[in-house]
Amino acid sequence: MATAQDTLEIGVLVYPGAQLAAVHGLTDLFAVANRLRHELGALERPQLRVCHWSETPDRQLQVTFDTHPGTGHQVRAMIIPPSLTQAPSPELLERYRANLRQWHGDGALLVSVCVGVFFIAASGLLDGRPATTHWNFAQSLAERFPQVQVEANLPLLDDGDIITSAGLMAWTDLGLKLVERYLGETLAAETARFLAVERVSGGQQPGSVFSPRLDHGDEAVLKVQHWLQGSGARDVSLTAMADCAGLEQRTFLRRFRSATGLKPTEYCQQVRVGRACRMLEFTNRSIDQIAWGVGYQDPGAFRKVFFKVTGLAPSDYRRRLATRAG
């Protein structure tokens, strides 16, 4: 029997109207990744445990399918699949609001495909944050949730603790993105090769991609992480972060580094550079404009930090992306 220590739980929210092809396709994709993990001898990596979460008749969420039954549940990522019908109704969205906030507050990565983003938006967790969705629903998302920064031109938007994707069939690439995050680039590439699908993301970025640690269990630090991801780590200070955590500064510094593996300043740099990478890829803004946009008053300082994090100058990063796209 598998234990909680050697498995990593990925939940799939099976709401009324959810696209079952995505639900079962993701389950199969992670099963392939698990088999390749074993065949390639990557046993230091966790097994991916997939659980389908559905409502009971009295509207309580419970697990209705589990690839590793018999142990307790600690959801590390919750996927909200697409629907073949239309954008979810306000009543349906409200039914899952508290659960999504609870999972996110406990350190779970929230992941959506197509209209699945409406569930995250309805929880309030995307207020002031960027998100993508299918082009057909972008206007509706923006109108219903005006505090969400809708970026419908992006096929997949990884914002650290929330990942949104646009296309109805984007669940394949999103599944591979999670395999890359939890099992590594090699297993993600091998899974894609076995399934004969081309990856839209992952393995193509010339610089590093920041995947923050969210499963450390320190609620005070996690609260600060969510705040930094939501604000883009702009205009923050050690005092403000310690106040957010409700801790004395020295205690906060120690616990933050222990939980995340980074100093608060390093973490903020990672968040800002991640957003800069997205701007370099999907906008025509100048390097200076991007520097200001992610919170650096001195573009020269931004260039130094960007090189430190990615190993590339911003102009080289953009040039390599253009070369790969061509």
Side-chain angles (χ1 to χ4, degrees):
M1 180 181 296
T3 66
Q5 284 71 37
D6 58 22
T7 62
L8 185 151
E9 182 175 344
I10 296 177
V12 183
L13 187 63
V14 188
Y15 59 88
Q19 182 193 16
L20 295 182
V23 173
H24 297 299
L26 283 163
T27 305
D28 290 343
L29 185 151
F30 295 132
V32 170
N34 278 334
R35 182 172 61 79
L36 291 172
R37 163 190 171 273
H38 180 76
E39 292 179 357
L40 295 174
L43 301 183
E44 74 283 357
R45 304 283 184 170
Q47 293 186 82
L48 300 180
R49 175 187 187 185
V50 181
C51 295
H52 298 174
W53 290 76
S54 305
E55 282 186 327
T56 61
D58 60 352
R59 293 191 175 177
Q60 297 297 311
L61 271 182
Q62 67 175 18
V63 174
T64 55
F65 172 83
D66 188 345
T67 58
H68 294 73
T71 61
H73 295 282
Q74 182 184 1
V75 178
R76 293 278 298 278
M78 177 57 67
I79 303 174
I80 303 96
S83 171
L84 290 176
T85 54
Q86 56 187 2
S89 68
E91 185 274 336
L92 182 62
L93 297 177
E94 181 61 28
R95 279 157 55 179
Y96 300 97
R97 182 178 187 275
N99 296 103
L100 290 172
R101 292 188 65 87
Q102 182 66 52
W103 280 318
H104 187 254
D106 289 341
L109 174 71
L110 296 185
V111 183
S112 69
V113 185
C114 192
V115 297
V117 70
F118 281 76
F119 289 87
I120 307 178
S123 74
L125 295 170
L126 280 173
D127 287 357
R129 300 184 61 168
T132 189
T133 190
H134 190 283
W135 58 266
N136 193 48
F137 299 101
Q139 183 175 349
S140 176
L141 180 66
E143 291 174 350
R144 290 174 62 176
F145 304 101
Q147 294 188 64
V148 178
Q149 301 168 14
V150 181
E151 300 187 19
N153 60 319
L154 305 185
L156 188 148
L157 199 159
D158 184 345
D159 202 35
D161 58 346
I162 297 176
I163 302 177
T164 55
S165 58
L168 190 64
M169 296 298 292
W171 58 264
T172 55
D173 191 58
L174 194 143
L176 293 169
K177 180 76 173 178
L178 294 183
V179 173
E180 179 187 354
R181 175 175 284 208
Y182 296 127
L183 302 186
E185 164 62 26
T186 298
L187 279 168
E190 288 299 311
T191 302
R193 188 168 71 89
F194 181 88
L195 296 172
V197 295
E198 184 175 352
R199 299 166 68 191
V200 176
S201 66
Q204 297 182 7
Q205 300 297 331
S208 63
V209 177
F210 180 44
S211 298
R213 289 171 54 185
L214 304 171
D215 61 337
H216 46 71
D218 190 324
E219 294 183 6
V221 171
L222 186 62
K223 181 181 178 182
V224 176
Q225 288 179 272
H226 289 323
W227 175 52
L228 293 175
Q229 295 291 157
S231 65
R234 291 173 53 93
D235 302 322
V236 296
S237 64
L238 176 59
T239 300
M241 286 186 278
D243 288 345
C244 178
L247 299 171
E248 187 270 331
Q249 288 189 20
R250 290 181 62 182
T251 302
F252 168 71
L253 282 169
R254 175 177 54 80
R255 285 174 54 174
F256 190 94
R257 187 164 189 176
S258 175
T260 68
L262 296 169
K263 298 176 182 177
T265 52
E266 294 171 335
Y267 193 99
C268 291
Q269 288 172 352
Q270 291 278 1
V271 172
R272 292 172 180 172
V273 168
R275 297 206 169 186
C277 288
R278 196 158 65 236
M279 293 182 187
L280 286 165
E281 182 172 5
F282 294 103
T283 76
N284 292 321
R285 297 181 191 177
S286 70
I287 306 299
D288 286 2
Q289 288 173 326
I290 290 173
W292 298 324
V294 298
Y296 286 91
Q297 299 301 315
D298 180 3
F302 164 72
R303 286 176 168 84
K304 291 179 181 178
V305 171
F306 192 94
F307 184 85
K308 174 185 174 183
V309 172
T310 68
L312 294 169
S315 56
D316 292 335
Y317 184 93
R318 174 173 272 169
R319 191 176 304 113
R320 290 199 186 187
L321 284 171
T323 301
R324 288 169 184 262

